[in-house]
Amino acid sequence: MHGVAWSKQSAPDFLGDVAWRWGDIKDAFDDFSLVGTVTNDGVEEVIQDGSPAQLLGVDYWVERLGEAGLLKPGTVFISGTIPMKQGVDQFADAWAVELSDGAGHTSRVRYDVEVLPAAWQ
């Protein structure tokens, strides 16, 4: 088994298939829904169900990126994890997430997991 820090460094981040301009959704963003699912042995199960309000706010990160000189056109920032449901096996065969605005627009991403070889000492 590998730890979180190791896995975060060895796996890519993913972007969904829909994007919103921050200025257009800023006031409604905390009302978006964020749902994560896992698939184990062909059975999909919800593992996360919440909203971006459970994460550090975008304004917080915009300020931090600005202070670091990293807030530039084309910047993509990925932040945080909402709480996972107890009893759901997070070490799944596949993961998916949907971010929905409540107006019929949903950004989706799904990926299959490839088990890495055992860690070395």
Side-chain angles (χ1 to χ4, degrees):
M1 188 84 47
H2 301 289
V4 171
W6 186 90
S7 66
K8 295 286 185 184
Q9 297 302 316
S10 65
D13 286 318
F14 298 90
L15 296 177
D17 56 356
V18 173
W20 293 264
R21 290 187 187 278
W22 179 241
D24 295 342
I25 62 160
K26 181 178 180 176
D27 295 334
F29 190 57
D30 285 348
D31 296 327
F32 277 43
S33 68
L34 188 58
V35 177
T37 60
V38 293
T39 302
N40 283 301
D41 297 322
V43 177
E44 186 176 80
E45 187 174 7
V46 172
I47 192 167
Q48 297 168 298
D49 189 356
S51 84
Q54 294 172 280
L55 303 169
L56 287 173
V58 173
D59 287 337
Y60 170 86
W61 291 113
V62 166
E63 186 175 327
R64 298 290 89 67
L65 289 167
E67 290 169 355
L70 299 172
L71 188 61
K72 301 174 183 176
T75 298
V76 174
F77 181 76
I78 299 171
S79 168
T81 301
I82 63 173
M84 290 191 284
K85 293 186 174 193
Q86 295 292 323
V88 179
D89 184 4
Q90 64 179 306
F91 300 103
D93 302 325
W95 275 79
V97 66
E98 292 187 350
L99 178 65
S100 300
D101 65 7
H105 305 102
T106 300
S107 182
R108 296 175 179 89
V109 65
R110 182 185 186 285
Y111 62 92
D112 294 320
V113 175
E114 179 181 337
V115 178
L116 297 172
W120 59 92
Q121 297 297 331

